[in-house]
Amino acid sequence: DAGVIQSPRHEVTEMGQEVTLRCKPISGHNSLFWYRQTMMRGLELLIYFNNNVPIDDSGMPEDRFSAKMPNASFSTLKIQPSEPRDSAVYFCASSLAAGGPLADTQYFGPGTRLTVL
Amino acid sequence: AQSVTQPDIHITVSEGASLELRCNYSYGATPYLFWYVQSPGQGLQLLLKYFSGDTLVQGIKGFEAEFKRSQSSFNLRKPSVHWSDAAEYFCAVVDSGNTPLVFGKGTRLSVIA
């Protein structure tokens, strides 16, 4: 099992540029989560999908952020335009189910460290 | 909505000493509870989880946690800490509805010789 795969591992970009982060969940998992982690705010849930459908995007900080899951094996998180305050580590996680009686372990990817200059 | 409180931001222990990390949750019914560990530069890894049954749960790396309903707590323990245990530890909760994990702010553990 390859685990959750994220790319790139590190991204350095300039303010105003578009940034796309990629995630491949574990095969067979039905739920996918995007998190952001900073020293100041800790671990924040941005958005999650069930069966490729976005369920709750209330954690997305503003319209500059968007996420898609075109199929069960791929998701993207896009920031356009990027700003220095977007600098953080972005994690993708997947699980068999999001919550409730089928709640299961979330498996995290290694993260993408984003630096916006 | 459920919430999780980890009252200790940072804890330092000596190698070989015992460890207890505190976690309190706020939820009316019996929640599902988790402890995750994040080593520097890594993603989060599950240590253990509690869904029902025995209130003392064993996890990986010699960790255990005890669910105490009367105290709304799910504290993580280890009898003898190793230097490799230095990491950030997150408690998380999910309720019986279809909502995802809610994470605490984390406790950073430092281990000294």
Side-chain angles (χ1 to χ4, degrees), chain A residues 19-23 32-35 46-49 52-57 59-71 74-80 90-92:
Chain A
V19 175
T20 299
L21 311 182
R22 297 173 177 79
C23 175
L32 183 140
F33 309 81
W34 282 101
Y35 292 89
L46 300 178
I47 184 172
Y48 75 98
F49 297 81
N52 311 338
V53 176
I55 302 301
D56 184 355
D57 64 353
M60 297 285 261
E62 48 198 273
D63 292 345
R64 297 184 297 106
F65 286 69
S66 63
K68 294 181 179 180
M69 192 166 185
N71 56 62
F74 183 66
S75 176
T76 60
L77 178 67
K78 185 176 294 186
I79 308 173
Q80 167 62 20
Y90 291 81
F91 289 103
C92 176

Side-chain angles (χ1 to χ4, degrees), chain A residues 4-112:
Chain A
V4 176
I5 299 172
Q6 290 187 249
S7 64
R9 292 294 309 276
H10 301 273
E11 176 81 30
V12 179
T13 191
E14 293 188 345
M15 183 174 62
Q17 296 298 307
E18 177 179 297
V19 175
T20 299
L21 311 182
R22 297 173 177 79
C23 175
K24 176 179 171 57
I26 293 173
S27 177
H29 282 189
N30 299 311
S31 299
L32 183 140
F33 309 81
W34 282 101
Y35 292 89
R36 178 173 68 175
Q37 187 178 39
T38 62
M39 289 291 292
M40 293 297 296
R41 303 175 68 93
L43 192 65
E44 304 173 274
L45 176 65
L46 300 178
I47 184 172
Y48 75 98
F49 297 81
N50 268 351
N51 297 315
N52 311 338
V53 176
I55 302 301
D56 184 355
D57 64 353
S58 60
M60 297 285 261
E62 48 198 273
D63 292 345
R64 297 184 297 106
F65 286 69
S66 63
K68 294 181 179 180
M69 192 166 185
N71 56 62
S73 59
F74 183 66
S75 176
T76 60
L77 178 67
K78 185 176 294 186
I79 308 173
Q80 167 62 20
S82 58
E83 297 182 4
R85 59 194 169 118
D86 301 330
S87 297
V89 180
Y90 291 81
F91 289 103
C92 176
S94 70
S95 71
L96 287 171
L102 297 179
D104 202 352
T105 304
Q106 285 188 21
Y107 294 85
F108 281 73
T112 295

